[in-house]
């Protein structure tokens, strides 16, 4: 099957505006603005079954329909702060097929009545930022952005805003704080952004990959999109495959593809022909899934992966083989979250600090008592923080110890 | 003086945000201030505070919160190696150790010619192309992927030639 999102793999110069237009680009946007009511666009997206690709899997059309129409102006923000260890899909979309992403952002803006949209791009993507700035100028010159588009009263401007290195800004309310020029610390929710968002105004925030789906859905219809994937999770997903595989990379596949097909058929199998010991399906935030044949044959969609005691999240599949030490692994994830904790909630700030001391001790001279203490600290953090980061920091620790306890007992003092 | 030196850039940055959201310009202005010296000095923070009607403490708190801003002079280039889990599974830690040996410095240190500061950083979203790092210097931020020590030492000499 040819790609729906990573179309640059078949059409390498689709990042050129003329080539994108020749391949159907902006037809959906023009059609929507000139012939559809905003809520009709939202309805198509709703009926397509598209769910947010940033990790939570929330139905996209439903989110758009929550926009508060009593409070104006409205904003749309693209979350391009990709920084989950194991996730590297949005960068490929924006580099390879930038106009499809930007057209999706424009369609979302029209659907919710926003005249200004921002791309919150992680600052490390500095070079890509300059490219996107250029693409936005080209869209303005071609009449796809600006005032009175296609002779209607609808106007839209898109601006690029660079972050500066903070994982927490991928959390949508921390992102808004950062975009407002503050430290990126999450807000108390509710109210949610569709009611109170950027500058206190109703705001829709979606992931880059979510937006990239939208032009294809509008062009081909909700039924077409729903026919791909599974009944729980419609459409295609970009699976970022990393860790101990021969061919790491992005693989755009329908939901429902099995772990086995992803790792062996597409990813070329495990390095040095070792066996898969564990899978982290949602990057460093994942629960660890102990792998057997049944797990490998599990179809990947949001509901089915949950039956394995993990979330699919952003579908960043990290493959752990039987050479990897679990106490080493959790030390890595804990250090990441300790560094990235924004410091606002005490359980996360203090918990990641103490967990990192314990996981560090386990590398050298820890005891089984330390393992118990670590598990205890992690569990005390759960359910007590404003955003998901505090929760994410505990996932590999808790599931690592509970599901691979023997590994720890074999590797530390009694 | 930021405003005197880059009047056009400052105006262009401010024009991206509504008047009530003027403070949003703090991050792009900090990148602008950092452009020449590689770090944001106190005078620049005062400048930005003045332009945006916020306190200098507000500006300093932003500088310290985000890892891409620096408030101290370091090497001309920051070389920031990702050593997070997916990269570490593909040899990033061994790569960084070998790089330290070759450069004769530890992680966090600067070479004696003040050219390079070597740092270990968290995820740069290039997990399939490890070992990898970014350079942050006078030419902005650039990614270098699928690296080894030889390629990296070669890159350093090219960079040295380009700035002298």
């Amino acid at each position: 099957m040819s790609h729906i999102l990573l179309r640059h793999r078949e059409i390498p110069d689709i990042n050129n505006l003329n080539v994108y237009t020749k391949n159907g680009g902006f037809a959906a946007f023009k059609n929507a603005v000139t012939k559809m009511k905003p809520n009709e666009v939202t309805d198509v997206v709703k009926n397509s079954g598209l769910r947010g690709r940033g990790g939570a899997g929330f139905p996209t059309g439903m989110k758009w329909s929550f926009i508060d129409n009593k409070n104006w102006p409205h904003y749309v923000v693209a979350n391009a702060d990709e920084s989950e260890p194991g996730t590297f899909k949005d960068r490929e979309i924006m580099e390879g097929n930038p106009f499809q992403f930007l057209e999706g952002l424009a369609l979302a803006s029209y659907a919710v009545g926003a005249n200004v949209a921002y791309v919150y791009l992680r600052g490390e993507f500095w070079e890509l930022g300059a490219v996107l700035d250029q693409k936005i100028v080209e869209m303005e010159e071609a009449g796809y952005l600006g005032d009175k588009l296609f002779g209607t009263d609808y106007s839209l401007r898109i601006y690029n805003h660079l972050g500066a290195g903070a994982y927490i800004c991928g959390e949508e309310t921390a992102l808004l704080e950062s975009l407002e020029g503050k430290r990126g610390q999450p807000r108390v929710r509710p109210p949610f952004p569709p009611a109170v968002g950027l500058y206190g105004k109703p705001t829709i925030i979606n992931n880059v990959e979510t937006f990239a789906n939208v032009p294809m859905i509008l062009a081909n219809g909700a039924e077409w999109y729903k026919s791909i994937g599974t009944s729980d999770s419609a459409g295609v997903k970009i699976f970022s495959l990393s860790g101990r595989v021969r061919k790491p990379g992005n693989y755009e596949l329908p939901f429902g593809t099995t772990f086995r097909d992803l790792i062996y058929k597409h990813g070329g199998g495990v390095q040095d022909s070792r066996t898969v010991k564990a899978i982290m399906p949602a990057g460093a935030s994942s629960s660890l899934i102990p792998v057997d044949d049944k797990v490998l044959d599990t179809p990947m969609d949001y509901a089915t992966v949950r039956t394995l005691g993990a979330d699919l999240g952003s579908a960043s599949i990290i493959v752990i083989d039987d050479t990897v030490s679990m106490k080493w692994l959790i030390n890595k994830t804990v250090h990441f979250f300790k560094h990235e904790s924004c410091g606002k909630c005490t359980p996360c700030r203090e918990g990641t600090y103490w967990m990192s001391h314990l996981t560090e001790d386990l590398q050298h001279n820890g005891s089984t008592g330390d393992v118990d203490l670590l598990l205890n600290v992690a569990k005390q953090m759960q359910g007590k923080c404003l955003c998901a980061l505090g929760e994410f920091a505990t996932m590999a620790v808790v599931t690592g110890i509970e599901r691979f306890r023997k590994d720890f007992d074999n590797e530390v003092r009694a | 003086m930021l405003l005197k030196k880059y009047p056009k850039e400052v105006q262009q940055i401010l024009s991206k945000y509504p008047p009530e959201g003027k403070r949003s310009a703090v991050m792009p202005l900090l990148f602008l201030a950092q452009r020449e010296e590689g770090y944001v000095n106190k005078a620049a923070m005062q400048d930005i505070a003045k332009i945006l009607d916020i306190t200098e403490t507000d500006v300093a708190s932003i500088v310290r919160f985000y890892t891409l801003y620096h408030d101290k002079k370091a090497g001309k280039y920051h070389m920031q190696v990702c050593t997070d889990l997916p990269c570490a599974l593909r040899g990033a830690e061994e790569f960084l150790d070998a790089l330290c040996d070759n450069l004769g410095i530890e992680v966090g240190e600067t070479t004696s010619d003040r050219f390079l500061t070597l740092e270990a950083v968290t995820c740069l979203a290039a997990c399939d192309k490890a070992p990898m790092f970014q350079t942050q210097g006078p030419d902005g931020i650039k990614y270098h992927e699928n690296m080894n020590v030889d390629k990296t030492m070669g890159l350093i000499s090219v960079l040295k030639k380009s700035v002298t």
Side-chain angles (χ1 to χ4, degrees):
Chain A
M1 198 173 83
S2 58
H3 291 86
I4 293 170
L5 305 172
L6 303 176
R7 285 163 74 207
H8 54 283
R9 294 194 179 177
E10 281 98 35
I11 315 166
D13 43 4
I14 199 162
N15 60 350
N16 173 307
L17 187 111
N18 289 329
V19 176
Y20 181 65
T21 314
K22 265 188 209 135
N23 284 279
F26 297 114
F29 183 51
K30 186 176 178 182
N31 185 64
V33 173
T34 55
K35 297 196 179 114
M36 294 170 80
K37 289 193 189 116
N39 65 328
E40 289 172 348
V41 176
T42 300
D43 284 343
V44 174
V45 174
K46 216 186 236 177
N47 294 335
S48 75
L50 177 66
R51 297 171 63 170
R53 301 296 195 240
F58 192 82
T60 305
M62 196 188 292
K63 187 191 260 186
W64 294 5
S65 70
F66 290 158
I67 194 98
D68 180 359
N69 282 318
K70 290 188 290 291
N71 190 1
W72 295 85
H74 295 169
Y75 291 102
V76 174
V77 178
N79 186 343
D81 193 47
E82 178 166 69
S83 39
E84 173 76 38
T87 310
F88 44 88
K89 63 192 177 61
D90 296 335
R91 179 171 153 226
E92 183 175 350
I93 295 172
M94 291 184 285
E95 283 178 352
N97 194 7
F99 289 115
Q100 188 168 319
F101 154 60
L102 291 169
E103 185 181 358
L105 180 56
L107 278 161
S109 301
Y110 178 71
V112 302
N115 301 115
V116 173
Y118 290 98
V119 179
Y120 187 97
L121 184 71
R122 71 175 293 177
E124 289 85 349
F125 293 167
W126 181 275
E127 293 180 284
L128 174 59
V131 173
L132 284 182
D133 280 343
Q134 182 55 36
K135 302 296 173 201
I136 290 167
V137 170
E138 287 171 26
M139 281 173 69
E140 285 168 357
E141 286 167 358
Y144 298 123
L145 290 175
D147 293 329
K148 298 196 178 297
L149 295 174
F150 315 113
T152 70
D153 279 337
Y154 183 65
S155 306
L156 176 64
R157 291 217 147 57
I158 295 178
Y159 299 107
N160 211 2
H161 180 100
L162 282 180
Y167 168 78
I168 189 61
C169 293
E171 196 280 335
E172 60 179 12
T173 61
L175 184 155
L176 292 176
E177 287 287 298
S178 178
L179 185 48
E180 289 181 3
K182 300 169 198 158
R183 282 168 290 154
Q185 294 186 313
R187 297 174 180 171
V188 180
R189 295 176 299 177
F192 290 91
V196 181
L198 183 63
Y199 309 125
K201 299 298 179 187
T203 303
I204 296 299
I205 307 163
N206 281 121
N207 174 261
V208 170
E209 185 185 351
T210 312
F211 287 121
N213 275 285
V214 173
M216 300 305 267
I217 291 171
L218 267 291
N220 298 301
E223 289 307 316
W224 164 81
Y225 196 75
K226 245 192 334 207
S227 72
I228 308 164
T230 68
S231 58
D232 169 75
S233 313
V236 292
K237 180 80 192 73
I238 301 176
F239 295 90
S240 294
L241 181 64
S242 70
R244 299 274 209 219
V245 283
R246 288 207 180 94
K247 293 195 290 176
N250 287 319
Y251 296 94
E252 179 188 315
L253 299 164
F255 278 108
T257 303
T258 63
F259 284 111
R260 189 188 299 279
D261 274 358
L262 176 67
I263 295 168
Y264 289 94
K265 199 169 132 196
H266 301 283
V270 183
Q271 282 182 343
D272 307 323
S273 301
R274 307 292 309 197
T275 44
V276 184
K277 178 177 185 173
I279 289 172
M280 300 181 81
S285 304
S286 289
S287 297
L288 281 150
I289 305 175
V291 169
D292 55 19
D293 277 340
K294 187 180 144 267
V295 168
L296 284 175
D297 289 323
T298 303
M300 292 182 282
D301 70 14
Y302 294 111
T304 314
V305 171
R306 204 157 287 153
T307 65
L308 302 176
D311 275 315
L312 183 59
S314 56
S316 320
I317 317 293
I318 307 178
V319 174
I320 313 296
D321 71 8
D322 57 356
T323 65
V324 178
S325 149
M326 285 296 155
K327 68 175 192 182
W328 172 84
L329 186 150
I330 62 167
N331 190 41
K332 289 305 277 184
T333 62
V334 165
H335 272 274
F336 172 76
F337 289 108
K338 172 177 171 273
H339 184 267
E340 299 301 337
S341 173
C342 79
K344 183 164 180 165
C345 308
T346 310
C348 177
R349 184 183 66 240
E350 296 296 313
T352 52
Y353 173 84
W354 287 109
M355 285 203 302
S356 75
H357 274 268
L358 286 161
T359 57
E360 199 58 52
D361 279 351
L362 286 183
Q363 308 310 305
H364 313 293
N365 189 34
S367 67
T368 51
D370 292 332
V371 178
D372 294 329
L373 182 59
L374 174 60
L375 184 62
N376 182 297
V377 172
K379 286 198 164 170
Q380 287 189 63
M381 290 169 63
Q382 293 186 328
K384 296 191 183 72
C385 303
L386 273 182
C387 84
L389 192 148
E391 210 73 16
F392 290 161
T394 68
M395 300 311 280
V397 174
V398 171
T399 57
I401 295 173
E402 288 183 345
R403 297 172 185 178
F404 295 91
R405 180 71 202 217
K406 266 196 195 144
D407 283 55
F408 286 89
D409 290 342
N410 290 340
E411 288 183 44
V412 301
R413 288 184 291 123
Chain B
M1 289 299 281
L2 215 53
L3 205 52
K4 264 195 194 142
K5 207 164 179 186
Y6 300 106
K8 237 175 82 187
E9 282 91 341
V10 171
Q11 285 318 318
Q12 203 195 351
I13 288 169
L14 289 172
S15 73
K16 286 162 71 170
Y17 310 99
E20 71 273 21
K22 198 167 151 190
R23 184 181 169 147
S24 292
V26 66
M27 290 174 74
L29 288 177
L30 282 169
F31 279 123
L32 185 65
Q34 200 168 257
R35 197 189 272 178
E36 278 166 37
E37 297 290 322
Y39 75 109
V40 190
N41 60 31
K42 205 168 156 56
M45 287 191 218
Q46 286 167 344
D47 258 15
I48 293 172
K50 217 171 178 183
I51 294 171
L52 301 177
D53 301 318
I54 55 180
T55 68
E56 200 187 321
T57 311
D58 286 332
V59 179
S61 80
I62 305 286
V63 171
R64 293 302 295 266
F65 187 85
Y66 297 95
T67 57
L68 289 180
Y69 301 127
H70 309 283
D71 60 359
K72 284 184 198 71
K73 198 167 174 62
K76 190 137 201 115
Y77 280 89
H78 293 263
M79 179 173 278
Q80 300 170 318
V81 181
C82 176
T83 57
D84 255 323
L85 178 63
C87 281
L89 288 170
R90 305 190 71 79
E93 291 180 321
E94 293 79 4
F95 166 74
L96 183 58
D97 283 347
L99 201 55
C100 284
D101 287 346
N102 263 268
L103 293 167
I105 55 173
E106 297 289 319
V107 174
E109 290 181 351
T110 302
T111 51
S112 55
D113 59 1
R114 308 295 299 167
F115 187 74
L116 201 76
T117 302
L118 187 63
E119 291 157 341
V121 296
T122 56
C123 188
L124 297 175
C127 321
D128 57 334
K129 299 187 181 75
M132 65 81 58
F133 57 83
Q134 66 182 5
T135 49
Q136 191 182 5
D139 51 354
I141 297 166
K142 289 197 166 132
Y143 273 35
H144 307 275
E145 302 173 314
N146 296 315
M147 294 304 279
N148 57 39
V149 173
D150 284 348
K151 274 164 81 176
T152 308
M153 298 310 284
L155 171 76
I156 294 170
S157 34
V158 171
L159 287 176
K160 275 188 180 164
K161 272 181 208 141
S162 73
V163 294
T164 46

